[in-house]
Amino acid sequence: MQIRESRQLPALTANDVKIKVSCGGICGSDLRVYKGTISYAQYPLRPGHEVIGTVVGAGSNAQHKIGSKVVVFPNTYCGECEFCAGGKTNICIHKKPLGVSTDGVFAQEIILDAKYLIPVPAELPDKRAILIEPFAVTVHALKKAGITPGTTVAVIGCGTEGLLSIALALYQGAEVTVIDINPLKLALAERLGKVTTLLPGEVNNKVFDVVIEAAGVKEAIQQAISIVKPGGIMVPLGITMDPVHLSPIHIVRNEISILGSIIYTVEDFADAITYLGDPSLFVEPIVSKTWAYENYQEAFNDAMSGDYAKIIVTFD
């Protein structure tokens, strides 16, 4: 990976918006692209999809005002397939994720179609606004879980999505147990509020109404199924290419619901912004460190270490 001066940005078309990028968050998919483990990534490739910035130019059809704050909606969708027609743009058959299938947005200035930029309230601090995109993933997933006050929730894995799931479940009044192999991550989870923390081998016979699997490893997925109460829900958020052994008779006899969840819709972004606008949603510990873009290697090294939550890169 290296810093390059890109070619001059093209003139704006009617639907385009030019953004001066403020900062971006390093995601697990950025790390997989960096390590070359996403088979469909198109190299050479600029990474990045979690960014916020300020509008500095807009085409004649764009509704975004110069000077306004926006967040990037980084998964394109066709708007015409059966899934888009049903409001499920997150599973559009023509979807292209920025930073994987096409160049990402880790740059000082970018141009995007206006429909992939969502307004952010000016009063929402950048340290919270930068979490909008990953938090929308969590919002989409936890909608499926139907969490209400008193629901027992286990979250397996304390990466960014796991930590955001913990924060939202606590906000919704759940009794939260956190499971991870890394004591540093368990300590970070404890900073979010009243949670019970366990290593995987300490779970024993405990069972939960809802289990959020956010580790993305086969052992975690298998454990997630095993600790769901009869009639409960497991939401797999983590992504692994490894085959996973599940027992159909355990799932059927216990009437366990497995509800897959992938990214988000525009509505989930709007809900994420609303949640983050409420100071009682406590997410501040989730941003671990901030690096200037010139120090990209240190930023990626921290992100790959597994000892931190969200690592931020600034582009000002």
Side-chain angles (χ1 to χ4, degrees), residues 38-53:
I38 297 183
S39 60
Y40 55 91
Q42 301 294 310
Y43 299 97
L45 185 67
R46 183 173 63 204
H49 61 272
E50 299 178 10
V51 302
I52 56 173

Side-chain angles (χ1 to χ4, degrees), residues 122-253:
E123 63 272 17
L124 186 64
D126 283 0
K127 65 181 180 181
R128 291 174 72 88
I130 193 56
L131 293 173
I132 292 170
E133 193 274 349
F135 192 47
V137 176
T138 299
V139 169
H140 184 79
L142 266 63
K143 282 179 183 178
K144 297 172 180 288
I147 294 170
T148 57
T151 300
T152 58
V153 175
V155 178
I156 304 179
C158 292
T160 298
E161 292 304 338
L163 292 168
L164 287 167
S165 296
I166 294 163
L168 184 54
L170 288 171
Y171 180 84
Q172 294 173 333
E175 299 175 12
V176 180
T177 296
V178 183
I179 304 164
D180 199 285
I181 62 172
N182 187 340
L184 291 175
K185 288 295 190 66
L186 292 177
L188 182 53
E190 290 175 339
R191 293 176 58 195
L192 292 172
K194 185 180 178 182
V195 299
T196 299
T197 57
L198 300 171
L199 297 170
E202 297 174 336
V203 179
N204 298 322
N205 297 318
K206 296 180 180 67
V207 290
F208 306 89
D209 299 317
V210 174
V211 180
I212 307 296
E213 193 290 309
V217 295
K218 64 180 182 180
E219 294 84 2
I221 296 170
Q222 288 166 183
Q223 182 171 53
I225 291 293
S226 73
I227 63 175
V228 181
K229 278 184 182 178
I233 295 171
M234 194 277 268
V235 182
L237 263 180
I239 297 174
T240 179
M241 301 300 290
D242 295 331
V244 177
H245 173 74
L246 300 178
S247 172
I249 194 165
H250 174 75
I251 295 167
V252 172
R253 282 188 170 173

Side-chain angles (χ1 to χ4, degrees), residues 17 41 51 58 69 112 146 148 150 167 198 244 267 275 315:
V17 174
V51 302
K69 184 189 292 189
L112 290 174
T148 57
L198 300 171
V244 177
E267 289 75 19
Y275 279 127
F315 293 89

